[in-house]
C-alpha cells in the first residue's frame, strides 16, 4: 500500500528489510511476485546486514540501491554497570549460588527459537552445577517445562516468566554465556536477534545457530566472540557450551572480544545507513 501511494504521488520509496530467505507459506508464495516487484523497483533498500544484501541481490535488486544499516541497540543502556549487590539479589531470587555457571536465553518461548534443541544440548554440559535460565514466556512454556523434567534437568533449569526490558541487563551480567538457538521455519529465519547486541554489551559471549541473522550478518564471529553452530543440532550446542562453561580463560577471551565488537555496532552507524539510502532515493 505504501509503495503504491509513493508511486502515485511521485514520492521516493525506501524499503527497510531484514528478510534473508524466501518465505514458504502458501500466502507468501502467492504474494511473492508483488514483493519481488517492490524489491526491484524501490528507489533504495535498507538491509540489516550483508546476509540480507546477498539475498536481495539474488532476487534481482541492483547492488547500488542496497544500503546497510547494521542492527544496533542503545549500547550505553545495556553496558551499564551491574554491581555485586544487584547481581547477588538476582542470583538469590533465581536460586543460583555464586559459584554456579549460568547459561542464559532471553526471549519468547516459541518453536522458532529452537529451545527444545537447547535443552537437549544443555543436558550434555559436563559441569553438574551449571544452570540454564530461560528468561521469557510463550506458547511453548508448558511443553518445555515438561521436556526439562523428562530429561532429568528440572533442578538445573530456571523458567523466569516475563522479564521486563529494564531488567534484562542484570540477567546478562549474571550469564556465563548466552544462547540464541533459533531454527528455520516456513515463515522465515530469525531476522536478527538484538539480544545478542545486548549480551555483548555486558561482555557475554554468545552461541547462535546459523539460522540467526546476527550470525549470518557477521556480528557473532565463530571462535572470536562466541560460536555459530548448525541449527537443530543439539550435539553441536553441547560441544560449544562445554567449550565455554567451566573454562574461564576461554570465556573471558570471547567476552572481551564481544565487548570490543559491539563498540562498532552503534545507532550512529545504523542511522548513517538510512541517511545514505534516503539521499540516494531523493537524488533519483
Amino acid at each position: 500500500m505504501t509503495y503504491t501511494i509513493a508511486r502515485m504521488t511521485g514520492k521516493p520509496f525506501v524499503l527497510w528489510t531484514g528478510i534473508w530467505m524466501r518465505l514458504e507459506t502458501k500466502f507468501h508464495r502467492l504474494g511473492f511476485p508483488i514483493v519481488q516487484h517492490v524489491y526491484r523497483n524501490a528507489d533504495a533498500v535498507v538491509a540489516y546486514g550483508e546476509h540480507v544484501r546477498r539475498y536481495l541481490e539474488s532476487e534481482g535488486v541492483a547492488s547500488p540501491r542496497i544500503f546497510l544499516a547494521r542492527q544496533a541497540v542503545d549500547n550505553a543502556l545495556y553496558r551499564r554497570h551491574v554491581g555485586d549487590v544487584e547481581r547477588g539479589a538476582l542470583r538469590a531470587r533465581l536460586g543460583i549460588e555464586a559459584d554456579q555457571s549460568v547459561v542464559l536465553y532471553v526471549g519468547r518461548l516459541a518453536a522458532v527459537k529452537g529451545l527444545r534443541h537447547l535443552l537437549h544440548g544443555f543436558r550434555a554440559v559436563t559441569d553438574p552445577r551449571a544452570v540454564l535460565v530461560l528468561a521469557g514466556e510463550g506458547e511453548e512454556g508448558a511443553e518445555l517445562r515438561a521436556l526439562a523434567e523428562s530429561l532429568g534437568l528440572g533442578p538445573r533449569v530456571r523458567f523466569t516468566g516475563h522479564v521486563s526490558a529494564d531488567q534484562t541487563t542484570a540477567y546478562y551480567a549474571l550469564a556465563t554465556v548466552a544462547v540464541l538457538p533459533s531454527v528455520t521455519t516456513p515463515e522465515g529465519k530469525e531476522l536478527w536477534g538484538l539480544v545478542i547486541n545486548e549480551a555483548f554489551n555486558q561482555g557475554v559471549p554468545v552461541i547462535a545457530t546459523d539460522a540467526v541473522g546476527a550470525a549470518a550478518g557477521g556480528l557473532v564471529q565463530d571462535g572470536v566472540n562466541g560460536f555459530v553452530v548448525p541449527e537443530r543440532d543439539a550435539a553441536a550446542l553441547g560441544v560449544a557450551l562445554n567449550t565455554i562453561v567451566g573454562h574461564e580463560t576461554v570465556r573471558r577471551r570471547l567476552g572481551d572480544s564481544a565487548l570490543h565488537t559491539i563498540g562498532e555496532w552503534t545507532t550512529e552507524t545504523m542511522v548513517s545507513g538510512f541517511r545514505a539510502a534516503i539521499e540516494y532515493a531523493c537524488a533519483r
Side-chain angles (χ1 to χ4, degrees):
M1 176 65 73
T2 304
Y3 174 78
T4 302
I5 293 172
R7 287 294 171 258
M8 290 176 61
T9 58
K11 302 290 186 182
F13 178 81
V14 178
L15 175 68
W16 182 33
T17 180
I19 293 173
W20 51 296
M21 64 169 282
R22 287 198 181 189
L23 308 184
E24 295 299 332
T25 67
K26 182 178 180 180
F27 171 80
H28 285 105
R29 286 197 298 269
L30 288 173
F32 185 73
I34 298 173
V35 173
Q36 189 177 54
H37 177 82
V38 174
Y39 282 159
R40 293 178 176 179
N41 291 280
D43 295 296
V45 184
V46 180
Y48 282 19
E50 289 289 352
H51 60 310
V52 183
R53 180 200 290 277
R54 292 191 295 269
Y55 168 67
L56 290 169
E57 290 175 340
S58 76
E59 294 294 356
V61 182
S63 182
R65 291 193 292 108
I66 304 172
F67 296 82
L68 298 186
R70 300 192 304 179
Q71 283 287 78
V73 298
D74 182 348
N75 287 343
L77 178 65
Y78 290 98
R79 196 170 292 190
R80 75 171 179 85
H81 176 68
V82 179
D84 292 341
V85 172
E86 183 178 1
R87 200 179 309 217
L90 181 55
R91 279 187 176 269
R93 189 159 73 247
L94 295 174
I96 302 173
E97 296 180 17
D99 63 341
Q100 289 184 280
S101 298
V102 175
V103 176
L104 176 67
Y105 165 81
V106 176
R108 292 183 298 117
L109 307 186
V112 68
K113 299 298 185 177
L115 296 173
R116 294 173 179 271
H117 307 288
L118 175 56
L119 283 169
H120 281 281
F122 181 71
R123 192 184 188 190
V125 172
T126 55
D127 180 354
R129 288 175 53 74
V131 174
L132 172 62
V133 175
L134 301 180
E137 59 186 0
E139 62 272 19
E140 274 215 325
E143 291 90 340
L144 292 170
R145 286 178 171 86
L147 178 60
E149 291 295 334
S150 71
L151 293 173
L153 296 173
R156 299 177 61 196
V157 182
R158 307 290 189 271
F159 289 89
T160 70
H162 173 71
V163 176
S164 62
D166 63 329
Q167 294 177 315
T168 56
T169 301
Y171 279 81
Y172 295 126
L174 208 66
T176 304
V177 58
V179 186
L180 186 54
S182 304
V183 298
T184 304
T185 70
E187 289 77 25
K189 298 177 184 285
E190 182 84 51
L191 297 184
W192 188 256
L194 288 173
V195 292
I196 294 174
N197 299 61
E198 296 166 6
F200 275 13
N201 273 294
Q202 282 294 318
V204 179
V206 172
I207 299 169
T209 67
D210 53 10
V212 172
L219 178 56
V220 183
Q221 301 165 37
D222 188 55
V224 176
N225 52 28
F227 293 105
V228 181
V229 300
E231 63 173 302
R232 305 179 189 273
D233 192 334
L237 279 168
V239 170
L241 285 168
N242 277 320
T243 304
I244 298 174
V245 175
H247 299 276
E248 184 57 27
T249 300
V250 175
R251 183 213 175 277
R252 188 178 297 111
R253 173 177 62 81
L254 296 173
D256 288 347
S257 182
L259 191 59
H260 173 76
T261 299
I262 201 62
E264 300 174 357
W265 296 66
T266 65
T267 52
E268 291 79 11
T269 301
M270 187 178 181
V271 168
S272 69
F274 280 99
R275 182 179 292 114
I278 292 168
E279 290 174 352
Y280 178 87
C282 291
R284 294 189 66 181

